[in-house]
Amino acid sequence: MGNLIDEIKHDLRFLRSHTLQPRWWKILKIPLLLGSVAGDYLLFGLTATLVFYAVFLSLMFGVHLVYRSKTKKYTTSWLGFTVPQEGQRPEPKRIGIVCYTFIALNAILPLIVSQVLS
């Protein structure tokens, strides 16, 4: 269990320190997520909202694990994720269009599933 906690701490440190997205976007994502949960609930009801976010978060967790694995904990370039080697410390530049495509697809699929199941 200690190893899992260490891995989560590693990811949280990377999340706080990376420059892949502007700082304002990192902060703005939280109220946008909360607003979308509230909007989904008001428009579609509790069941559809729970199904949507369960599927969405599961798919995004999968994307996270794939990127984490393929980039060797965010130190190696892979697909649209580029890591230029500047001196000794690698600094990732951008996430890339591939990741944003995964995010868009991972938003559309749960929407379809939540509407079909509710």
Side-chain angles (χ1 to χ4, degrees), residues 52-107:
F52 176 86
Y53 285 99
V55 174
F56 179 73
L57 292 175
S58 297
L59 290 171
M60 289 310 300
F61 183 65
V63 169
H64 169 76
L65 292 178
V66 167
Y67 265 84
R68 188 179 197 278
S69 170
K70 294 292 187 177
T71 62
K72 296 179 177 60
K73 295 186 183 179
Y74 322 111
T75 60
T76 305
S77 296
W78 182 72
L79 288 179
F81 185 87
T82 57
V83 181
Q85 300 294 331
E86 296 176 8
Q88 297 290 19
R89 184 173 175 229
E91 287 198 27
K93 277 174 52 176
R94 303 294 274 153
I95 292 173
I97 192 71
V98 176
C99 186
Y100 289 116
T101 303
F102 287 146
I103 293 169
L105 291 173
N106 286 349

Side-chain angles (χ1 to χ4, degrees), residues 7-50:
E7 296 300 324
I8 291 170
K9 286 179 182 177
H10 178 272
D11 285 358
L12 289 174
R13 277 192 302 274
F14 178 78
L15 179 65
R16 286 189 204 110
S17 68
H18 78 73
T19 58
L20 300 171
Q21 299 169 328
R23 184 165 172 75
W24 63 267
W25 176 245
K26 287 189 203 181
I27 295 168
L28 186 62
K29 282 192 287 188
I30 295 167
L32 283 174
L33 179 63
L34 294 174
S36 70
V37 170
D40 284 352
Y41 174 73
L42 292 172
L43 289 172
F44 305 116
L46 182 61
T47 304
T49 301
L50 292 176

